[in-house]
Each structure stands twice: as structure tokens, then as C-alpha cells.
Amino acid sequence: MDWLYTLFVGEGIAHTVLVLSLVITVGILLGKIKIHGISLGVTWILFVGIAAGHFGMSIDHDTLHFIKEFGLILFVYSIGLQVGPGFFSSFKDGGVKLVACAATVVLLGAITTYIIHLVTDTPLPTMVGIMSGAVTNTPGLGAAQQAYADATGINDSSVALGYAVAYPLGVVGIILSMIAVRFITRVNYVDENKALQAISSERNFAERLSIEFTNSTLENHSIAHMRELINRSFVISRIMHQDGTIAIADGNSIIKTGDKLRVICSSEDSEAIMAFFGQPVEISEKDWGAVPHNQKELVSRRIIITKPSINGKKLSDLSLRTRYGINITRINRAGIDLIPYQGMELQMGDKVMVVGHLKDVESVADVLGNSLKKLREPQLLTIFLGVALGVLLGSVPLMNIPQPVKLGLAGGPLIVAILIGRFGPHFHLVTYTTMSANLMLREVGLALFLAGVGIGAGDGFVESIVGGGYRWIGYGFIITVVPLIIVGLVARWRLKMNYYTLMGLIAGSTTDPPALGYANTAAGNDMPAVSYATVYPVVMFLRVLVAQTLILIAA
């Protein structure tokens, strides 16, 4: 039976795979347990890993470090790809407010750390380690250790020990802070979903109007001429003439008084366009699709772009209107309806609303692909190229105070993934991944990361607590919870922030993937991931900067 003992507590590839698999399996099973409707979810993997490490199921240090970092890279990169297309628009719609709240969390955490140092007389380097563990920020720990060694010539082991002791309860504290804010402010998920729908409708770029043309001064002018006069973004997809016939509109179409227009425009332009053309009329979608028997069937159909050759091409390059006589009225990308224009670049996964005769629409579908099978093919080139570029970016020193401040192996890949998700089609990179594929990549990465952190912290964990480190757990919990609850309550009561967005803010301001995993599961949508990605790069930089600044004060 020596082989069985060696398999569990020995070394080698089989031992490593077995330990990781068991830790992740047991953690996931425990994550399904709910107490009063609340579960820590995949965070249980961390605690199972600590238990495994404590009972001798360790893994080679270098191998464990690789597993942890690679899992984290997969997790943050998949998040970046998912939120990239809508990242910059979300930043405009409140990103500055989110970043300001996150920066306040960092500042309050530093102040709390220093106050505890003064009150308890705990060495400041140890407190910096506790702070890094309390906010689950590994780059901050590394920066603090390096800065202290360079300033004093001494390697203080208490920095890493404080981190290891504070980390597990830091993860729990972040999630508990979300739960506390939820109960204190009496969050109701039903109301939050309604508010989220309202926000989505406000951000939904396209609005459909039915207008009777009454502006006699513009009669007998073309749509292209009218577009020049009003200088607004809109599309007229169909014209219902006074005799009841419906025609597909283009730039050369002439409009007469009494014609009824089907107009697609942005919400902010709708009033101006309505006043410019005429007055609103009630015409149902069914009536817009109805045609006399002597006309060809007119249909509107949503077509998915699935041909890689279309990725990154402009609408003007395809000449779909000229070739097929159809009209593209809107393009749905990442859940947002966009108004098309000739210079718009198309992306894999875009859903294009096409209006035209049935045969012509089917021809356009053949040109654009419209094959769900194509979308299921994994885009490995984009993933591994992005990871490589992310590691390069994360390794670039941004500042020297006295040690280089870097984005690290989490911040670099996240930023590159966001940029590729948004701008990849410019370079003909296929950035689309199915939701199931993205979630699989995300969850596998998170599970590996949590298992690696837990197993690494398990060896000597209990001894550290018994030897006096239990006080550090309390200090860390205070550093975790106090800033998050203060900012969380202000964000809810004063800033009226949606709770799903707030959960992502809390997870992002502590750079904590497990908390984001919990937030995504609880929310059931991507809003936490969007706000997490919005604040993460800035927070990562600030966490490293603050850790080094406190160390310099101590030195």
C-alpha cells in the first residue's frame, strides 16, 4: 500500500493532479451547501486547500506557484474578453464614480492599517502583510517584501506570514461585506433586476419610431439630403406610401408629405428627429410587415455574423444594400443595439437586423454566415496571443518608488483582454467566444487559483495562529470589512448605485476573484464583472503603491 500513501503525500505529476482534483471536487461539493440561503460557493475550495496543506498533502512550491498564477491569468483574461466590448461605454456611464469609490476603499484600508499599527504596536511591515492578505492582493505583498528588503537589507518573514494568516478570512470578509450591505440597505433582488432593466433600456442605443412625414418644406427631397440637414444618427428602414405600399428605404428614396416612416435612432436623438420629420403615429410591427398580395414578401430577420472573413470589415466594404436591396436597421453587440453606419466595423457574434424581401435576406444570411456551429469553434489564437501580450504588459515597470510598480500577472492580462475584446476586430482577431466556453475557462482558472492559494497557505497555518497570529486575523478582518461597508453604504444611500454593480465594485476594489465568482453567481448576470473590470486596473496599481509607501514609512 506504499503506492497509495505516496500518491497522497508524495511527489510527482500523479500526486499533483490527484491533490488538485480532490481539493477542487470537495470544495465544489461544499459550495452547494446553503445556510439561510447563503453559500460561499467556490470559495470553499480555498478552505479545503488549507486543510489539505495542513495534513501534509503539499505540492512542489514552484509547481504550485505556476498553477496558482496560471489559473488567475485564465480567470481574469476570460472576464476581460467578456466585458471588453462594453467596457468603455460602461466607463462613460459611471466609470469615474466607480473608480473614485474603489480608490476610497484603498485609502480607507491604508488609514485603518496605520491606526491599528499605532494602537497595537504591531510592526508596520507585518501590518502591511496583513493588509495585503486582508484585501487578497498578492502583488501588494510582493512589492512590500521587495521594498522592505531593498530599504533595510533584511527579509522580514512576518510580512508573508501576516498575509497568509489574514488571507482566508479576508476572502470571507469581502463576501460578508457584500451580504452585510445587502441586509443593511434592504436590497431586494426583484427590485434590482427591474432597475437593471431600466438601466439597460436607457443604454440600449436604438429606439424604433413610426412617424408621419408632415414637413412640407422638405417634400421631394432624398433621405440622404435630410440626413445632411439634421446631422443626427438615424436609419429609415421602410416607407409606407399613402396607397398602403411599403418600400425599403435607402439614401436615394424620395419622401412625400403623408408618407409614414419607420425610423431607428438613438434615444437621445428621438425627440429632435420626431420634430424634424413630423408627428408620431401608431403602427404595429405586424402592420409594418404587412404587404399587398401584388408585392414580394417583406421580412425583418436577425442574422448572426459567423464568417471569420467578415470580422473587422466595414459595412461599406460589403455593399449589402447595393447588391441585395436590403436595409440594415441595427446591430446588436454585447447586448446593446447600435445604429449602423457605413464606417462601422463588424465583429464575429454581432447580430444584424436585416429588412428586405425574403430571398434577398436569405442571400445576406449566406454572406454573413448565420451558422451557430461556426460560433462554437474555440478561438485559441486570440486566447494565447492575448495571454502572452498580457504577461508582457504586466511585467513592464510603470514607476520606481524605489521598487518597480507593475500590473502583474493579473492586471496585465485583464487589460489586454479588455482591449482585444474591444479593438481586436480592427486587426482581424476573432474575439467572440460562446458564453458556455467563456464560463468554463473562467471557472477552471478560478478553481486552480483557489486550490493553489489554499494548499500553499495550509502548511504552518494552524501553528501561526496558535503562536499569536490569531490577533492578526482580527486585524485583517477589520481592514477588510470597515472600508468596504463604509463605501458600500455611501454608494447605496447617497449614489443610488445598483447592488449588482456595487458587488463588482467591492470585489474589484479588493482585487478578489473569489468574491467576483460569488457576485456573478448571486447576481445571475455580468454586471458585477463589468464594474470589477472597470476598477481593477486602477486598484491594482494603487494597492501596490500604497503597500510600498507604508513600507517606506516603516523603514
Side-chain angles (χ1 to χ4, degrees):
M1 297 297 287
D2 289 344
W3 64 271
L4 186 60
Y5 176 81
T6 303
L7 191 60
F8 277 91
V9 297
E11 297 179 352
I13 296 175
H15 164 76
T16 300
V17 173
L18 177 66
V19 171
L20 279 174
S21 300
L22 288 177
V23 167
I24 293 172
T25 299
V26 176
I28 291 174
L29 291 175
L30 290 175
K32 296 181 181 297
I33 299 174
K34 293 185 178 181
I35 300 175
H36 300 295
I38 297 173
S39 170
L40 296 180
V42 293
T43 309
W44 271 108
I45 296 175
L46 175 68
F47 299 112
V48 174
I50 290 174
H54 173 69
F55 289 108
M57 297 176 66
S58 60
I59 295 176
D60 174 73
H61 175 75
D62 293 334
T63 303
L64 190 64
H65 186 67
F66 166 77
I67 291 169
K68 181 177 67 175
E69 296 299 335
F70 187 65
L72 182 59
I73 288 171
L74 289 180
F75 178 75
V76 299
Y77 189 81
S78 60
I79 288 174
L81 276 185
Q82 189 69 28
V83 304
F87 172 77
F88 292 96
S89 61
S90 71
F91 201 88
K92 293 177 183 177
D93 294 334
V96 175
K97 180 172 66 176
L98 287 173
V99 170
C101 289
T104 303
V105 171
V106 177
L107 179 61
L108 289 176
I111 293 173
T112 305
T113 299
Y114 196 74
I115 291 174
I116 294 175
H117 156 68
L118 295 176
V119 172
T120 64
D121 204 28
T122 305
L124 192 54
T126 304
M127 286 303 308
V128 173
I130 294 172
M131 180 187 71
S132 298
V135 297
T136 68
N137 188 259
T138 307
L141 168 67
Q145 288 178 310
Q146 192 66 50
Y148 189 79
D150 288 345
T152 64
I154 302 172
N155 290 315
D156 189 347
S157 61
S158 71
V159 179
L161 193 58
Y163 172 88
V165 170
Y167 189 101
L169 200 58
V171 175
V172 178
I174 296 165
I175 296 175
L176 290 178
S177 297
M178 296 182 187
I179 297 171
V181 171
R182 174 187 169 189
F183 281 104
I184 293 172
T185 61
R186 299 181 180 180
V187 171
N188 185 303
Y189 281 140
V190 175
D191 294 337
E192 295 304 304
N193 287 327
K194 290 179 180 178
L196 182 61
Q197 291 174 0
I199 294 172
S200 300
S201 64
E202 289 176 5
R203 292 180 181 173
N204 201 3
F205 208 49
E207 185 172 329
R208 292 166 288 283
L209 307 173
S210 295
I211 304 174
E212 181 177 349
F213 184 67
T214 59
N215 192 341
S216 58
T217 59
L218 296 175
E219 189 171 18
N220 294 322
H221 284 285
S222 68
I223 292 176
H225 176 68
M226 296 179 188
R227 185 174 286 114
E228 293 176 0
L229 292 177
I230 191 172
N231 194 27
R232 300 273 182 162
S233 179
F234 68 90
V235 172
I236 297 179
S237 63
R238 282 164 279 185
I239 302 174
M240 182 183 293
H241 298 298
Q242 296 185 50
D243 60 1
T245 59
I246 299 176
I248 299 174
D250 62 15
N252 298 320
S253 298
I254 304 298
I255 303 179
K256 299 180 180 297
T257 303
D259 286 345
K260 297 178 179 61
L261 313 176
R262 184 59 161 169
V263 181
I264 295 88
C265 64
S266 65
S267 300
E268 60 186 19
D269 290 335
S270 60
E271 290 187 12
I273 289 174
M274 187 77 72
F276 180 77
F277 283 112
Q279 60 187 20
V281 290
E282 292 291 335
I283 301 178
S284 66
E285 290 284 347
K286 182 179 179 181
D287 290 337
W288 275 118
V291 294
H293 293 295
N294 60 350
Q295 281 189 265
K296 293 181 180 179
E297 183 180 0
L298 196 65
V299 298
S300 60
R301 184 167 298 173
R302 196 179 291 273
I303 297 172
I304 304 176
I305 297 177
T306 59
K307 280 191 177 179
S309 58
I310 303 297
N311 188 62
K313 282 194 174 182
K314 297 179 180 178
L315 274 175
S316 57
D317 297 334
L318 302 179
S319 303
L320 297 176
R321 167 65 196 170
T322 304
R323 292 165 59 191
Y324 302 103
I326 56 85
N327 221 338
I328 294 178
T329 61
R330 56 193 181 276
I331 295 175
N332 186 278
R333 179 176 300 163
I336 299 175
D337 280 341
L338 306 175
I339 298 173
Y341 55 91
Q342 289 300 302
M344 176 178 283
E345 292 183 346
L346 301 174
Q347 299 182 16
M348 284 276 285
D350 282 352
K351 299 178 181 66
V352 180
M353 181 60 74
V354 179
V355 178
H357 300 303
L358 179 60
K359 184 177 180 181
D360 297 325
V361 172
E362 290 175 347
S363 299
V364 172
D366 291 336
V367 172
L368 299 182
N370 205 36
S371 171
L372 291 177
K373 182 180 179 181
K374 285 284 185 182
L375 289 181
R376 296 191 185 105
E377 296 177 0
Q379 303 299 329
L380 296 181
L381 172 64
T382 302
I383 292 172
F384 285 102
L385 175 62
V387 168
L389 293 175
V391 171
L392 287 174
L393 177 62
S395 302
V396 174
L398 302 178
M399 293 178 62
N400 289 278
I401 50 167
Q403 283 305 114
V405 177
K406 301 177 182 179
L407 291 171
L409 293 180
L414 176 63
I415 292 176
V416 168
I418 290 172
L419 294 175
I420 286 180
R422 173 62 181 85
F423 300 107
H426 286 275
F427 306 98
H428 302 287
L429 282 175
V430 178
T431 61
Y432 178 83
T433 56
T434 63
M435 182 61 72
S436 58
N438 185 279
L439 286 175
M440 175 62 76
L441 195 66
R442 185 187 306 183
E443 295 302 313
V444 167
L446 180 60
L448 290 174
F449 171 72
L450 290 174
V453 172
I455 294 171
D459 186 22
F461 181 79
V462 174
E463 291 81 357
S464 299
I465 295 176
V466 173
Y470 60 88
R471 298 188 186 92
W472 298 352
I473 296 177
Y475 302 159
F477 189 74
I478 293 171
I479 295 170
T480 301
V481 170
V482 171
L484 292 178
I485 290 183
I486 290 174
V487 174
L489 294 179
V490 171
R492 280 294 290 177
W493 285 333
R494 296 283 296 177
L495 303 180
K496 308 300 181 183
M497 188 177 292
N498 181 272
Y499 181 66
Y500 300 144
T501 300
L502 179 57
M503 284 198 293
L505 167 65
I506 290 175
S509 62
T510 52
T511 63
D512 186 51
L516 176 60
Y518 167 81
N520 282 336
T521 302
N525 55 62
D526 279 334
M527 284 300 291
V530 172
S531 53
Y532 179 94
T534 302
V535 304
Y536 185 98
V538 176
V539 169
M540 181 64 71
F541 178 79
L542 291 177
R543 289 290 181 194
V544 172
L545 185 64
V546 166
Q548 291 186 337
T549 301
L550 289 175
I551 286 294
L552 292 178
I553 293 174

